[in-house]
Amino acid sequence: MTMKVAGMEISVSEAARKSGEDLAALQERVACLESLRAAAAPRERPSYDDARAPADYQALKSILWVDDYPSNNAFDIEKLEREGFRVRKEITTSGGLRAVAEEPFGLVITDLGRNEAGEERPFAGLELIEKLRARGFTAPVLVFAGRRGIEHRDRLLEVGADEVTSSMVDVWKFIERKFGQRSEEDITTSELMHSSL
């Protein structure tokens, strides 16, 4: 049995598995949030902030999401679309670069490692960021990856990522902060948990 989410066919068992994984990730994130923040020391890095982004990027409710397994994000993409965002999905670095050349985006979300044309590219997301920044792309870039992303956080920030996280909770906070939709105080745990169901 399948269901359609954000224009993609998802099996019910895959949806249940994804929901379970999201809930487990949320619980793990809540449990270790304080220790992660305490360990994160302030660091110098290039600033790709709002001041350097195109003046109208906040008005661009358009997100490029680069991930070789877009179905992993289907429920969150659907929620973004319900909230008025247009989300373009690409599965390769070259696809992401082509998308940015074709149209403007207010935000890019990328994973870290991807399988592209049968080749494992463990730092595809980093390469994408380097190429975007080299081409003058100044809107925010968020790396949404697992533990490997967190392990390489400093390097990703150095090449131009604005945020690196393994938590969908943090992705939603970042989006809401950058696009000014709601204040952090308005974000409730139940809303965040619902976003991944």
Side-chain angles (χ1 to χ4, degrees):
M1 178 182 259
T2 62
M3 54 199 278
K4 203 161 209 169
V5 180
M8 293 174 274
E9 289 289 328
I10 306 290
S11 71
V12 173
S13 62
E14 185 178 354
R17 179 194 56 77
K18 175 70 172 129
S19 295
E21 286 176 1
D22 288 347
L23 183 56
L26 177 61
Q27 290 168 336
E28 179 183 348
R29 183 69 174 166
V30 169
C32 69
L33 185 60
E34 289 307 314
S35 61
L36 285 174
R37 289 196 178 161
R43 63 196 140 271
E44 294 289 322
R45 70 176 180 92
S47 173
Y48 295 96
D49 59 14
D50 300 0
R52 293 188 52 196
D56 62 347
Y57 93 83
Q58 284 184 310
L60 293 174
K61 291 188 72 174
S62 183
I63 296 173
L64 171 62
W65 199 319
V66 185
D67 190 316
D68 54 340
Y69 292 101
S71 61
N72 288 344
N73 311 307
F75 292 101
D76 295 297
I77 290 169
E78 182 180 58
K79 183 174 188 288
L80 284 166
E81 291 172 342
R82 280 196 319 264
E83 293 190 6
F85 287 90
R86 189 177 58 78
V87 181
R88 178 165 169 174
K89 301 172 286 292
E90 293 291 340
I91 61 171
T92 63
T93 300
S94 60
L97 293 170
R98 184 177 56 251
V100 168
E102 292 173 355
E103 59 186 290
F105 293 96
L107 171 65
V108 171
I109 301 173
T110 181
D111 56 358
L112 180 56
R114 286 191 282 276
N115 184 306
E116 298 189 359
E119 176 188 346
E120 280 301 322
R121 297 186 57 203
F123 291 99
L126 185 141
E127 293 165 13
L128 174 64
I129 297 165
E130 286 179 321
K131 289 176 180 177
L132 286 172
R133 296 309 187 203
R135 294 178 185 194
F137 183 83
T138 57
V141 178
L142 181 145
V143 178
F144 179 44
R147 289 188 177 141
R148 279 188 64 250
I150 302 304
E151 289 168 9
H152 296 283
R153 178 183 174 84
D154 289 345
R155 186 173 172 203
L156 289 160
L157 293 172
E158 284 171 13
V159 300
D162 290 270
E163 183 61 83
V164 180
T165 185
S166 60
S167 166
M168 196 61 213
V169 173
D170 289 343
V171 172
W172 279 104
K173 285 184 179 181
F174 186 88
I175 290 169
E176 290 165 348
R177 193 169 60 246
K178 288 296 178 183
F179 289 95
Q181 292 198 219
R182 290 180 285 175
S183 67
E184 278 196 31
E185 295 79 39
D186 293 335
I187 305 169
T188 66
T189 302
S190 63
E191 282 179 291
L192 292 166
M193 288 175 66
H194 177 70
S195 76
S196 62
L197 296 178

